[in-house]
Amino acid sequence: VLLREVQALTLHRGQYTTSRRTAAVPQLQCTGGTAGCSHGPEVVQCYNKGWDGYDVQWQCKADLENTYRFGQIEVSCEGYDYPDDPYILRGSCSLLFRLELTEEGERKAKNSGSFGSSYYKSRNDSSDSNAGAIVIIVLLGLAFGVYKLFLSNQQPQQRFGDGDGFTRPSWQSQQAPPPPGFKSSFTEGNSFGTHSRHGTDSGPGFWTGLGAGGLLGYLAGSHR
């Protein structure tokens, strides 16, 4: 058929053109645009609006939402005998188009984007506050544990009085019980050994408290 005499074309999504010299192609081909290609029309009708001396000028319409519009369009048909043949193969025309957003579509896209970002920000703020509360609870628990540890390990200095009115440390008293784990026969009369044991008793409370305090400081520093 003579291309100039074609008054209208009806093209369908998912259908292919007829072909004679070349391979068949989809009747509707989206090439991009601000709206993307996921909302492309199912059916498009293109009308012959005149001849410019070289090619037919086409106007294409489709049932689109108010947020979408056609951008650049190009109707391509297969020449019957050669590429620029004024006669074309019937049913060989296809439409290449870009799908763009209208002003209304751009406003909706901006509003939906701002809502999503604010929702994401509020979720992040909530997560941060929850994490901060958990850290505070853990720190309070550690502080209470350290306090109880010092309270349990702190031993008051015991002094025993003699009849002469003088007091002496417990390790010098003959009535001091032997340390746990040692036989009484081993420690009797050995004030040095007993003194060493009492010195060792004061060690764990100091070093344990120092380690717990260091851990507490590290956690607080990492939270900041």
Side-chain angles (χ1 to χ4, degrees), residues 6-213:
V6 177
Q7 297 301 312
L9 298 170
T10 302
L11 308 172
H12 299 268
R13 183 178 182 180
Q15 295 187 12
Y16 283 77
T17 62
T18 58
S19 60
R20 178 172 178 266
R21 296 184 302 101
T22 60
V25 297
Q27 292 182 3
L28 294 177
Q29 302 179 60
C30 176
T31 59
T34 57
C37 295
S38 58
H39 302 282
E42 295 292 332
V43 180
V44 178
Q45 286 187 326
C46 296
Y47 302 94
N48 187 341
K49 303 301 292 183
W51 176 262
D52 65 354
Y54 176 75
D55 203 355
V56 175
Q57 302 299 303
W58 299 96
Q59 182 183 29
C60 297
K61 296 182 179 181
D63 186 14
L64 295 172
E65 297 181 9
N66 295 333
T67 53
Y68 307 114
R69 65 177 178 83
F70 281 127
Q72 183 180 0
I73 61 172
E74 180 182 353
V75 175
S76 177
C77 304
E78 180 183 330
Y80 192 81
D81 288 327
Y82 51 91
D84 292 331
D85 193 341
Y87 288 86
I88 61 168
L89 179 66
R90 181 177 178 271
S92 65
C93 294
S94 65
L95 173 66
L96 282 73
F97 64 92
R98 291 177 59 88
L99 198 61
E100 309 290 349
L101 288 173
T102 61
E103 292 183 0
E104 180 180 355
E106 291 178 354
R107 284 196 301 270
K108 287 185 177 181
K110 290 180 179 179
N111 291 335
S112 62
S114 62
F115 172 77
S117 62
S118 62
Y119 175 75
Y120 179 74
K121 185 177 184 299
S122 64
R123 288 293 299 273
N124 281 347
D125 293 342
S126 176
S127 300
D128 291 342
S129 62
N130 291 337
I134 292 173
V135 171
I136 291 174
I137 292 173
V138 171
L139 292 177
L140 289 176
L142 287 174
F144 181 75
V146 171
Y147 171 74
K148 295 292 290 184
L149 185 63
F150 273 114
L151 203 62
S152 62
N153 284 329
Q154 184 177 4
Q155 299 179 356
Q157 293 183 354
Q158 300 178 359
R159 294 181 178 273
F160 297 88
D162 292 337
D164 55 1
F166 291 96
T167 59
R168 55 175 56 85
S170 60
W171 60 79
Q172 295 181 359
S173 174
Q174 298 293 333
Q175 299 177 0
F182 290 89
K183 294 182 179 179
S184 58
S185 60
F186 178 79
T187 58
E188 283 180 356
N190 188 351
S191 62
F192 179 77
T194 308
H195 172 70
S196 299
R197 180 58 187 170
H198 276 278
T200 307
D201 284 341
S202 63
F206 173 76
W207 291 111
T208 306
L210 182 60

